[in-house]
Amino acid sequence: MIARPAGNPSSAAGAAPSFPARGSFDIRVQDCIDFLRGLPAESVDLIVTDPAYSGMNRHLRLGHGRIVGHYGKPDNARWFHEFSDDPESYAVFLGECQRVLRQNRHIYIMFDSFSMLTLGALVRDSFDVKGVVVWDKVHLGMGHYFRRRHEQIVFASKGRRKLSRRDLPDVWSVPRIHRAAYPTQKPVKLFELMVQASAEPGFMVCDPFCGSGSSGVAALRGDCDFIGADIDVRAVDIAEDRLARFMATGQDPLEPVR
Ligand SMILES: C[S@@+](CC[C@H](N)C(=O)[O-])C[C@H]1O[C@@H](n2cnc3c(N)ncnc32)[C@H](O)[C@@H]1O
């Protein structure tokens, strides 16, 4: 990782909004737990996140390497850190999410199949789990047995809150991104569905594993503010540039055709 002082808010914090977004964003180079610990209690209105689980990659190896880390890098180095997702660390992470989320608000956490079985049940200790959404990636991926085409999203609440949209199924067919600019970059559409279902304009949307900032674009599109973190400065640089360009032009440079 290229070092940037932990806890140092990015330069784009509070960037002046212009067409078309009304929100602001603040993205930090920080470990997810340090980041959450630095936020006041009950200070965010929606958490949407896609953690880098280590368990899946310990379990599933392809050839001599891990699945995460290839992505065409010439030196075969890993692209990014994985969160140490042993149950104890994961419980601390969830406890911090619970602390920073306001009462009567929602959280969405993405899981691959392996982490869903090892960690998914722990969400119940911190939140009221309401359901599991399946993300159907439409196109086939890799897989040792059945080829992977889906991920799961645990949907839960702190307190009581209705969905803003009642027309959504629990299977979301959103094509995966091919030739993504950032490894494991998720389609903005996925996070947009979460924002549309669980946020109002002016809400503070939080993603402690923000990667390339897809969740941030979705938040800004929903007229929300965004606060996020990633442990890797390269991710934060990409996300900051992406959100600044989106705010200036209304175009998402990493998903230009919509
Ligand atoms: C699956 S990716 C997120 C991708 C993102 N949703 C997107 O659309 O670009 C997970 C991210 O978690 C980051 N990460 C890994 N360990 C972390 C940690 N301990 N704290 C914060 N971020 C971490 C990685 O650098 C990576 O960018």
Side-chain angles (χ1 to χ4, degrees):
M1 187 183 83
I2 303 163
R4 178 185 283 185
N8 184 20
S10 75
S11 58
S18 55
F19 175 84
R22 284 191 284 171
S24 63
F25 65 89
D26 175 353
I27 305 175
R28 305 172 184 189
V29 181
Q30 228 174 351
D31 168 74
C32 59
I33 292 175
D34 294 341
F35 163 69
L36 291 165
R37 283 188 172 141
L39 300 180
E42 309 227 337
S43 59
V44 308
D45 296 289
L46 174 64
I47 297 174
V48 296
T49 198
D50 167 30
Y53 296 108
S54 58
M56 176 81 159
N57 297 304
R58 271 199 307 270
H59 184 71
L60 296 175
R61 287 168 186 273
L62 283 181
H64 298 295
R66 291 175 166 195
I67 293 172
V68 169
H70 287 278
Y71 294 104
K73 284 202 78 185
D75 58 358
N76 210 23
R78 290 165 64 195
W79 255 95
F80 53 62
H81 290 248
E82 296 154 349
F83 174 53
S84 176
D85 58 4
D86 55 281
E88 294 73 26
S89 306
Y90 200 65
V92 172
F93 166 69
L94 290 171
E96 283 302 313
C97 288
Q98 206 275 349
R99 188 185 65 79
V100 303
L101 190 64
R102 287 205 172 87
Q103 190 65 24
N104 301 327
R105 297 292 192 266
H106 289 159
I107 178 169
Y108 294 81
I109 309 175
M110 299 185 65
F111 286 93
D112 54 59
S113 308
F114 187 80
S115 56
M116 184 66 181
L117 289 172
T118 54
L119 302 172
L122 296 178
V123 183
R124 283 215 179 92
D125 296 338
S126 297
F127 294 99
D128 188 4
V129 174
K130 299 297 186 189
V132 178
V133 173
V134 171
W135 169 30
D136 172 7
K137 305 181 185 185
V138 180
H139 305 294
L140 285 182
M142 305 292 279
H144 291 282
Y145 298 101
F146 297 109
R147 290 177 61 184
R148 286 190 287 278
R149 210 182 97 166
H150 83 285
E151 286 185 28
Q152 293 167 78
I153 306 168
V154 170
F155 162 57
S157 77
K158 175 177 174 180
R160 297 163 71 89
R161 181 177 188 84
K162 291 183 177 165
L163 288 175
S164 310
R165 281 187 61 173
R166 299 299 306 275
D167 60 331
L168 294 173
D170 62 3
V171 177
W172 296 351
S173 296
V174 179
R176 68 168 83 232
I177 296 182
H178 285 291
R179 297 190 188 86
Y182 187 73
T184 75
Q185 178 186 330
K186 300 301 184 295
V188 171
K189 179 73 187 168
L190 269 187
F191 295 108
E192 259 186 304
L193 290 168
M194 302 176 203
V195 168
Q196 288 170 7
S198 298
E200 298 164 18
F203 266 25
M204 177 62 77
V205 177
C206 174
D207 183 351
F209 294 92
C210 74
S212 66
S214 302
S215 53
V217 174
L220 295 177
R221 273 210 180 106
D223 286 333
C224 294
D225 297 315
F226 179 73
I227 186 161
D230 198 287
I231 203 164
D232 194 320
V233 69
R234 293 168 299 185
V236 173
D237 285 346
I238 291 171
E240 282 184 341
D241 179 64
R242 182 181 189 182
L243 268 57
R245 287 165 68 181
F246 176 75
M247 289 187 80
T249 65
Q251 292 296 317
D252 174 3
L254 299 197
E255 278 188 64
V257 182
R258 285 180 61 86

